[in-house]
Amino acid sequence: MSRARLSVYCFSFVIGSFILFQSSLSSGFVSDDWHWLWVAHERRSALPDLSANIIGERTGGSYNPVSSLMVNSLFQAFGLRPRPFHAASIVLHGVNAFLVYLLAVRWRKLFPGAAYGRAAPFVAGVLFLIWPTHVEAVAWMASVPHVLATFFFLFSVIFYLQWRGEGRWSYFVISLISALLAFGSKEIALSLPIVILILEALYQLTSRKRLAARPFVPAFCFFAIALIFVIMRWQATGLWLGTYADQGLIIRVQTWAHTFLTFFEEMLTLGTMRQAWSAFYFDEPRVTILISVIPIAVLVLFTLRRNLLGIGAFLLFFVATILPYIPLGFNRLSAEGERYTYLPSVFFILVVSLVLARLPKPFVRFAVSGALVAVCIFLAAPKIDSWHIASAAAQDIVADFQDHVSPSVMRYVFVLLPDTIGGAHVFRNNIVEAIRLTSADAPRDMVQIPVYLQMDASQYRDEVVRWRSDDRGYFAETAPGMLMITGVDRAETGLLTYELWGYDYDVFSSDMVRILLSEELRQELIAGTAKMLTWDRGALREVPYDPEPS
């Protein structure tokens, strides 16, 4: 295929990405976006700190220097204008869809025995472009590491296939460099060496009919590159196997099994059944694991037959790319966390495209493929709209804060801000950084308490929390049974202690929070030198404190 034609295909996928995510171009920054921007602002350089995590600290966290380079560069060039940041994610997503198409084309050339229709690569690229669970990764600037890691991951696999097909060592070197860039974009790309190893084994079995040690030496170079990156990550964060949430690898068999199986649920239901699936799983975990794992194992083993080589291989790749995500977990009440599906979905979508190519008649293939495309667009559109709504809410919160600034107030405490609206992030974290970056005279003493709301897009302007106070602090209560208040079940700070009552440990949420004020904060609220600010009826509002309510 000529380079000119490939360029046209790539451009077409990018244009399609802009059409689908056009509302993101008018969206602002939310939640963790502001921490990325704050670090870029404080660093005052496009170059990342190779000896620290993504937020400039040297203890824990994620180590994504390539993603930091991208965000820092955009910040140095465009400052706090969100459009270029969103445009960069949209372009990357379109290019990734093209690379999925190209991967299918290259796969067919290297493995001609895995026959499928010529339309399958194009169908795979289109499905990747519009797949509903990709919205979070593309619409949320802080998710760009997932999009960037997928770009380099695919680049590496494609050039490895090129090297195996044509034998040019320059392709192998490009594949290795791309692997290192993928690792540096997001640690989840560390599944790449496993994918390359499986790919090499399949190549040896199909081309030489046997396995020998020597041909695997190039594949093991990817493990060496991965080890170098892991050592760099350890020097920067002090973690070998920990995540940004845990400072060590904590084995939680039941939770890990749920995460693993939820990837299949997210793919098979297009991200529509997570809450119902999670509720069923945690009601009967052993039964659910048994009836789920056995069919998955049988399916993978069955599809490894030679005449189904493409489907079987891509299923194995899908499972391999899931592994680094297992300790992280999914939100069990909303679509939050769909970014984790971005990279693994590449291989599931390739499986889908090959299955569609095997349907018996051209008309049936066209009809089923068209129906799936329509369903994907139908499901993706409201998700994209939720991110636009969440962005507007975040901008309103930052703007509304100026109405509460007073010379007599010395301390501002933010509590029960929306974590998500319709699964789209608003302000779980980083309201303080957002105000400091957008206000020349931001107050010094601002604190965000890590307890927040999960809201549906239909209710984000409603009154969903009722407040009352007493001589010890506050109660904040949602409607009975509405598990909207989320966070850890209890936390103590220097200013207050909060406890989530009626806490459901399966979904980490409750319908009531008890806030016990320190004597210092209590007196400040009475004197009017401190303000407690929350989200209510679509705006940032003060929570009045009356120690002796009538």
Side-chain angles (χ1 to χ4, degrees):
M1 187 178 297
S2 68
R3 292 183 179 179
R5 179 175 292 184
L6 288 176
S7 298
V8 170
Y9 284 178
C10 183
F11 182 73
S12 299
F13 280 113
V14 171
I15 292 299
S17 184
F18 270 102
I19 293 173
L20 184 64
F21 287 95
Q22 57 181 316
S23 66
S24 293
L25 293 173
S26 57
S27 297
F29 299 118
V30 298
S31 197
D32 292 352
D33 294 352
W34 291 102
H35 210 143
W36 284 87
L37 297 169
W38 179 257
V39 172
H41 172 267
E42 292 295 288
R43 185 157 180 77
R44 301 184 183 279
S45 170
L47 296 176
D49 186 350
L50 295 177
S51 63
N53 62 24
I54 60 173
I55 60 175
E57 298 175 351
R58 289 172 172 79
T59 303
S62 294
Y63 183 61
N64 310 142
V66 177
S67 297
S68 294
L69 174 62
M70 176 181 172
V71 175
N72 292 354
S73 299
L74 288 170
F75 181 81
Q76 294 301 318
F78 302 105
L80 293 176
R81 285 176 285 174
R83 186 181 295 264
F85 291 85
H86 290 303
S89 293
I90 292 170
V91 169
L92 271 174
H93 179 58
V95 173
N96 285 342
F98 167 73
L99 292 179
V100 170
Y101 158 81
L102 193 59
L103 173 58
V105 172
R106 296 289 186 255
W107 184 271
R108 181 176 182 173
K109 288 184 177 180
L110 190 63
F111 298 105
Y116 50 83
R118 291 185 177 181
F122 182 74
V123 171
V126 170
L127 288 176
F128 185 86
L129 188 71
I130 62 177
W131 202 257
T133 66
H134 292 169
V135 172
E136 180 180 75
V138 182
W140 188 21
M141 188 274 282
S143 286
V144 75
H146 294 266
V147 184
L148 194 60
T150 300
F151 169 78
F152 288 118
F153 191 108
L154 289 169
F155 216 71
S156 182
V157 173
I158 288 169
F159 271 92
Y160 192 87
L161 290 171
Q162 283 284 89
W163 169 68
R164 266 301 174 208
E166 301 180 22
R168 294 177 59 179
W169 282 94
S170 59
Y171 291 156
F172 179 74
V173 173
I174 293 173
S175 181
L176 273 181
I177 294 172
S178 298
L180 182 59
L181 293 173
F183 303 153
S185 299
K186 189 67 179 175
E187 295 98 332
I188 46 87
L190 287 168
S191 59
L192 177 59
I194 302 175
V195 170
I196 294 293
L197 189 63
I198 297 172
L199 193 160
E200 183 62 33
L202 293 172
Y203 175 75
Q204 298 299 327
L205 287 171
T206 55
S207 64
R208 303 180 183 181
K209 313 301 182 185
R210 63 186 180 89
L211 295 178
R214 187 172 180 181
F216 280 93
V217 172
F220 280 108
C221 290
F222 289 84
F223 286 91
I225 293 292
L227 179 60
I228 292 172
F229 171 78
V230 169
I231 292 172
M232 293 173 61
R233 180 178 186 263
W234 172 74
Q235 291 180 332
T237 67
L239 299 179
W240 286 107
L241 297 173
T243 68
Y244 60 80
D246 296 311
Q247 299 305 300
L249 190 63
I250 302 174
I251 298 176
R252 304 180 177 96
V253 175
Q254 183 172 312
T255 301
W256 286 15
H258 171 262
T259 302
F260 177 81
L261 295 174
T262 299
F263 275 96
F264 287 88
E265 174 275 320
E266 291 289 282
M267 294 297 100
L268 292 170
T269 71
L270 301 175
T272 60
M273 295 293 291
R274 189 193 302 176
Q275 185 172 349
W277 150 255
S278 296
F280 175 71
Y281 175 91
F282 285 101
D283 280 344
E284 297 289 345
R286 294 181 181 178
V287 174
T288 309
I289 291 173
L290 183 64
I291 64 176
S292 301
V293 171
I294 293 178
I296 291 171
V298 171
L299 176 64
V300 172
L301 292 174
F302 174 76
T303 54
L304 281 175
R305 291 165 42 193
R306 179 180 173 82
N307 65 331
L308 292 176
L309 179 61
I311 297 175
F314 291 140
L315 274 175
L316 283 178
F317 295 159
F318 175 65
V319 172
T321 52
I322 288 173
L323 298 179
Y325 293 98
I326 297 300
L328 297 179
F330 283 100
N331 189 305
R332 301 168 194 172
L333 285 183
S334 76
E336 193 273 322
E338 283 185 337
R339 62 192 181 278
Y340 300 153
T341 71
Y342 191 82
L343 173 57
S345 72
V346 167
F347 301 108
F348 186 88
I349 289 169
L350 284 167
V351 169
V352 171
S353 68
L354 297 190
V355 170
L356 291 174
R358 288 178 172 274
L359 293 177
K361 296 181 180 180
F363 173 77
V364 175
R365 291 196 293 270
F366 180 80
V368 175
S369 299
L372 182 57
V373 168
V375 169
C376 286
I377 294 175
F378 176 78
L379 294 175
K383 290 177 181 286
I384 296 171
D385 188 52
S386 290
W387 277 96
H388 191 65
I389 291 172
S391 166
Q395 293 177 72
D396 289 344
I397 289 171
V398 174
D400 288 349
F401 177 73
Q402 300 304 319
D403 297 334
H404 296 280
V405 174
S406 170
S408 62
V409 179
M410 305 304 294
R411 192 195 308 272
Y412 298 87
V413 180
F414 299 93
V415 63
L416 288 189
L417 297 185
D419 169 15
T420 58
I421 293 177
H425 284 282
V426 184
F427 269 123
R428 175 186 300 179
N429 305 305
N430 312 122
I431 177 65
V432 174
E433 287 89 342
I435 293 171
R436 286 176 177 163
L437 282 170
T438 56
S439 177
D441 55 348
R444 280 189 174 184
D445 199 342
M446 296 181 290
V447 179
Q448 182 174 5
I449 304 302
V451 56
Y452 23 77
L453 299 174
Q454 293 183 133
M455 310 176 72
D456 293 332
S458 61
Q459 63 183 185
Y460 82 104
R461 292 192 180 279
D462 297 341
E463 181 183 18
V464 294
V465 177
R466 297 288 179 92
W467 288 86
R468 51 192 172 92
S469 58
D470 59 16
D471 61 340
R472 301 185 65 193
Y474 294 97
F475 288 94
E477 185 175 6
T478 68
M482 291 187 66
L483 302 177
M484 299 174 59
I485 302 174
T486 187
V488 297
D489 58 344
R490 185 183 189 279
E492 184 174 350
T493 73
L495 294 175
L496 56 83
T497 297
Y498 76 81
E499 299 172 341
L500 300 187
W501 291 7
Y503 196 69
D504 187 329
Y505 286 90
D506 286 340
V507 293
F508 307 113
S509 300
S510 78
D511 58 4
M512 179 183 291
V513 59
R514 171 58 158 157
I515 299 175
L516 304 173
L517 302 173
S518 67
E519 185 59 26
E520 177 186 8
L521 180 57
R522 181 175 177 275
Q523 293 301 325
E524 289 175 354
L525 289 169
I526 294 172
T529 58
K531 279 189 178 184
M532 187 84 76
L533 299 174
T534 190
W535 175 267
D536 187 34
R537 289 164 289 169
L540 187 69
R541 301 177 187 275
E542 181 180 1
V543 183
Y545 178 62
D546 183 358
E548 298 179 0
S550 56

